[in-house]
Amino acid sequence: MSRYRLGTGGVLAAAALVSAAAPAVAQSNVEGRVGKLESEMRAVQRKVFPGGAAAMVEPQIAPETAASVPNGVPATSPVADLTNRVTALEQQMATMTGQIEQAQYRLRQLEDQFTAYKKATDARLSAAPPATADAGDPAIPPPSRGAVRAAGDTTPGKAADARGEASEPVRAAAAAGVEKPSTGDAAEDAYTYGYRLYTAKKYPEAEAQLKQVVATYPKHRRASFAQNLLGRAYLDEGKPSLASIAFYDNYKKFPEGERAPDSLYYLGQSLTKLNKPADACKVYGELTDVYGDKISATMKADIARARVTAKCK
């Protein structure tokens, strides 16, 4: 049995070997974790700061300040120091990861907002109808600019079919009271008839007649006048959206036309009614920049008052 017994000296020697090996193994494992974390930290820094080593952010880890240790108290072990380093690195990694995720979330929000804005803008631009052709000098003065009626205004001359209450025969009978001119100039007569319908406040009939003038005589000098008067009919009827399209179309396609400045002025009026004063101010500014040396003193005064109403800067 003596060969199976281990002496006291052998037991102490084995215990010493185990005690010496344990810190070495633990230190090796912690050093591996530290190396891995430091490598990941450098990778994150390269992604966040691609400018190079000069932009790298050093880990916020500072060596511990040596403190006076009372006699009889053992110093901190290397394993404890490495563990503190690992803990600090893990905390910094978590902080940086959270900041990156927040930045990416804000970026996605901005991209979504811009996409929605672009989609809405494209839809508004594509809604504009095709324009008419160029125009020339007028022979009949257009109606003078006056106060634009409110959107909810109703007058006896408005066609009831805008609310679905009247039929075509009723409208035709109402328009029959307006005399059609006959001078031998078909285009001039067509425009004059549309103008008379407008002054009689028969807006739906006037709109249909003025559209016909533009479509039938696109090269006649009255085309620009008819397009501008079409916008006036829409605006007086309380349809500023349709009016803004008609006015913009006249200005865009006939910038040299007699009624291009008028269309810009009334475009600003329409935008004001649509609760878009900032856009109206831009229109008034363009009107002054493009036609400032051509418009009359009366129109300049109208523009000044309109800018005050829109609270332009």
Side-chain angles (χ1 to χ4, degrees):
M1 296 296 292
S2 61
R3 60 178 179 175
Y4 297 103
R5 296 174 62 188
L6 185 63
T8 304
V11 173
L12 294 176
L17 289 173
V18 172
S19 300
V25 172
Q27 181 174 349
S28 176
N29 292 337
V30 175
E31 286 179 346
R33 291 173 61 195
V34 171
K36 181 178 179 182
L37 283 171
E38 289 177 338
S39 176
E40 292 177 353
M41 178 67 71
R42 287 192 292 272
V44 171
Q45 290 175 330
R46 282 194 299 272
K47 182 176 180 181
V48 178
F49 306 102
M56 300 289 279
V57 177
E58 295 296 331
Q60 300 175 355
I61 303 173
E64 296 183 356
T65 305
S68 58
V69 180
N71 294 333
V73 178
T76 304
S77 67
V79 175
D81 291 339
L82 290 174
T83 301
N84 292 336
R85 289 177 60 195
V86 170
T87 301
L89 283 169
E90 290 174 342
Q91 292 175 349
Q92 189 176 3
M93 284 285 291
T95 300
M96 292 186 68
T97 300
Q99 292 173 349
I100 292 172
E101 290 177 349
Q102 291 178 358
Q104 291 175 340
Y105 175 72
R106 288 194 294 268
L107 179 61
R108 286 195 299 271
Q109 283 186 317
L110 290 174
E111 291 175 347
D112 293 342
Q113 291 173 0
F114 177 77
T115 300
Y117 171 77
K118 184 176 182 299
K119 183 177 180 181
T121 302
D122 292 342
R124 287 196 300 270
L125 292 177
S126 62
T132 58
D134 54 2
D137 295 334
I140 300 177
S144 59
R145 276 187 307 278
V148 181
R149 284 192 296 275
D153 182 27
T154 59
T155 62
K158 287 187 178 180
D161 71 338
R163 301 183 299 274
E165 298 175 0
S167 61
E168 288 296 330
V170 174
R171 288 178 51 191
V178 178
E179 182 182 0
K180 291 184 179 181
S182 180
T183 63
D185 187 337
E188 193 74 24
D189 291 344
Y191 170 73
T192 303
Y193 181 53
Y195 172 74
R196 290 177 179 178
L197 289 170
Y198 168 78
T199 56
K201 298 182 180 181
K202 301 182 184 300
Y203 299 119
E205 291 78 12
E207 292 156 9
Q209 179 66 22
L210 294 168
K211 288 179 182 178
Q212 184 178 0
V213 172
V214 176
T216 306
Y217 309 102
K219 299 297 183 181
H220 196 274
R221 60 176 178 256
R222 285 301 186 184
S224 177
F225 275 77
Q227 184 69 26
N228 181 72
L229 194 57
L230 174 63
R232 290 285 303 276
Y234 281 135
L235 191 59
D236 288 358
E237 194 181 8
K239 299 177 179 179
S241 295
L242 293 176
S244 64
I245 294 174
F247 291 132
Y248 177 78
D249 183 70
N250 195 38
Y251 164 67
K252 193 69 175 180
K253 298 301 180 180
F254 315 134
E256 301 300 327
E258 290 287 339
R259 285 296 168 258
D262 293 73
S263 290
L264 269 185
Y265 172 80
Y266 284 109
L267 174 59
Q269 296 284 292
S270 301
L271 291 171
T272 300
K273 283 192 167 296
L274 291 171
N275 295 321
K276 295 182 179 181
D279 293 336
C281 292
K282 293 178 182 178
V283 170
Y284 296 137
E286 184 167 356
L287 171 57
T288 303
D289 293 341
V290 178
Y291 302 108
D293 57 343
K294 298 179 181 179
I295 58 180
S296 64
T298 301
M299 177 176 280
K300 290 180 180 179
D302 290 341
I303 295 171
R305 286 191 294 269
R307 290 180 63 87
V308 172
T309 301
K311 299 180 180 180
C312 301
K313 296 181 180 180

